[in-house]
Amino acid sequence: MYKNNINLNLYKTFYDVARFGSFSKAAEFTFSTQPSISKQIQNLERELDTKLFHRKPNGVELTEKGKELLFYIEKAYGNILTAERIMLETDNLNRGKLSIGLPSNMYRFIVDKIKEFNKKYPNIEITIITGSTTYLLSLLDNHKIDFIIDTLPVNYMSNDIVIENIKDMKYVYISGNKEKINSLKELENYTIILPITGTNNRDTLDELLFKNEIEINKVINIHTSELIIDSVKENMGIGYVLEDLVKNDKSINILNIKEKLPISTLALIYNKKFLTSAPRKFIDEYIKRDMN
């Protein structure tokens, strides 16, 4: 029989045990005792008539039913935190939070905007989280970040998720010296510093090189644009990055390659139902002004 009165404390205890993987750590976090935490979990398991955790010598592990429950509890907890922020944040941003998710190579694009925002609204707590698109989308889904700035394509289907193009950016080859390189063919004579294989930008480039019958034999693969740029400055080779990341860097030489290089579209991704005052202000004043 379904109950009309839900003991939310039991679900909060379940959430704490699930994320810490331990009764004792959950007890320490909540200033409670391990027996009390254990009893609450037993009560919840009895109410739901299912086992939620496997007990192990070094902690606990979620059962399949426990994983199912956690999926919904995480969403509910995220909703509560967002509701609290909506109540606490003021329109003049005397207090509040801003949490942004982005791949690490996008930080250079947004750092000046963050500096401007922080100067204008110094009481807003800012959090920057980097990671893969899949990881960031999971954080967005659970309201742990406010929005994502990433390059397309982004494969995510939801009526509440908005994906807006910010700007198109082209890739360029760069060097730390004044090499006169005008074609892709000439790159065969140099060490080329590229994004790692399997990423969208690398796959697109590999297709272009294959189409033009270009064979690069001396390659250094680096995961982030920051490290590619730093490696170019150390004269380790010719790098391949988005032009926006280096166009104002006087120590970098952008090569004038005659072939048309790939274009990447930068996008803003957010849940329109869960934007609080601070992220909405940041998007309107510092992101949308750059949209095409």
Side-chain angles (χ1 to χ4, degrees):
M1 181 179 295
Y2 294 104
K3 297 174 56 179
N4 291 324
N5 56 325
I6 298 175
N7 189 337
L8 295 178
N9 287 329
L10 296 183
Y11 288 97
K12 174 62 167 63
T13 299
F14 164 78
Y15 179 68
D16 290 333
V17 173
R19 62 185 178 135
F20 288 115
S22 165
F23 287 170
S24 59
K25 289 181 180 178
E28 182 180 351
F29 177 76
T30 57
F31 302 99
S32 183
T33 64
Q34 184 171 337
S36 175
I37 295 292
S38 180
K39 184 176 181 180
Q40 290 182 68
I41 294 300
Q42 289 173 5
N43 290 341
L44 183 60
E45 289 179 327
R46 184 166 53 252
E47 285 193 8
L48 298 178
D49 193 24
T50 189
K51 192 175 181 64
L52 299 173
F53 294 100
H54 295 301
R55 275 67 168 178
K56 295 190 171 184
N58 59 344
V60 293
E61 182 180 85
L62 285 166
T63 63
E64 288 304 312
K65 282 292 187 180
K67 292 176 183 178
E68 289 182 32
L69 180 61
L70 179 62
F71 174 81
Y72 293 102
I73 295 302
E74 278 190 319
K75 288 182 178 295
Y77 193 68
N79 288 346
I80 292 171
L81 291 179
T82 303
E84 182 181 57
R85 283 179 57 187
I86 291 173
M87 296 298 104
L88 292 176
E89 285 185 8
T90 56
D91 289 337
N92 59 7
L93 301 192
N94 285 329
R95 61 185 178 185
K97 294 182 178 181
L98 172 65
S99 299
I100 305 171
L102 68 166
S104 59
N105 64 333
M106 288 294 104
Y107 183 68
R108 287 192 180 211
F109 166 78
I110 203 173
V111 63
D112 289 339
K113 304 175 192 299
I114 293 172
K115 287 167 62 178
E116 289 179 47
F117 184 84
N118 181 244
K119 184 177 180 180
K120 187 173 182 179
Y121 306 108
N123 294 323
I124 297 299
E125 179 184 330
I126 300 174
T127 301
I128 309 295
I129 298 178
T130 63
S132 68
T133 302
T134 301
Y135 171 65
L136 295 176
L137 285 171
S138 70
L139 296 182
L140 182 67
D141 197 38
N142 290 309
H143 315 308
K144 294 181 179 178
I145 55 177
D146 298 313
F147 60 86
I148 301 170
I149 293 176
D150 202 351
T151 52
L152 297 180
V154 174
N155 298 315
Y156 191 88
M157 297 296 293
S158 171
N159 292 332
D160 296 328
I161 295 297
V162 176
I163 301 178
E164 297 183 7
N165 293 356
I166 300 174
K167 63 187 300 186
D168 290 333
M169 302 184 295
K170 68 177 181 178
Y171 280 91
V172 292
Y173 281 100
I174 60 173
S175 73
N177 298 315
K178 298 296 181 182
E179 288 96 346
K180 298 294 183 180
I181 301 174
N182 301 310
S183 70
L184 291 175
K185 190 66 176 177
E186 294 177 61
L187 294 175
E188 294 180 333
N189 302 318
Y190 294 85
T191 297
I192 309 300
I193 308 172
L194 299 175
I196 61 173
T197 56
T199 54
N200 288 332
N201 48 355
R202 176 61 181 274
D203 290 345
T204 305
L205 175 63
D206 286 345
E207 290 176 10
L208 175 66
L209 295 176
F210 179 79
K211 180 180 178 181
N212 287 272
E213 299 181 347
I214 307 299
E215 186 173 353
I216 306 296
N217 295 312
K218 294 179 286 186
V219 176
I220 298 175
N221 301 299
I222 297 182
H223 189 268
T224 68
S225 295
E226 290 92 338
L227 291 180
I228 292 177
I229 294 168
D230 289 344
S231 298
V232 167
K233 290 181 178 181
E234 293 293 329
N235 296 316
M236 293 173 59
I238 305 296
Y240 177 77
V241 296
L242 289 168
E243 183 180 35
D244 285 59
L245 302 179
V246 295
K247 63 183 180 182
N248 296 320
D249 192 333
K250 298 186 182 303
S251 65
I252 290 292
N253 176 36
I254 298 177
L255 303 181
N256 186 24
I257 302 294
K258 64 181 182 181
E259 291 87 355
K260 185 177 180 180
L261 296 179
I263 299 290
S264 183
T265 300
L266 193 65
L268 172 68
I269 307 154
Y270 61 93
N271 189 319
K272 59 187 177 184
K273 288 186 175 181
F274 293 101
L275 278 183
T276 60
S277 299
R280 188 181 297 112
K281 180 77 72 172
F282 186 87
I283 289 173
D284 290 342
E285 293 188 4
Y286 299 90
I287 299 296
K288 289 192 174 182
R289 72 182 184 190
D290 292 330
M291 289 183 175
N292 294 330

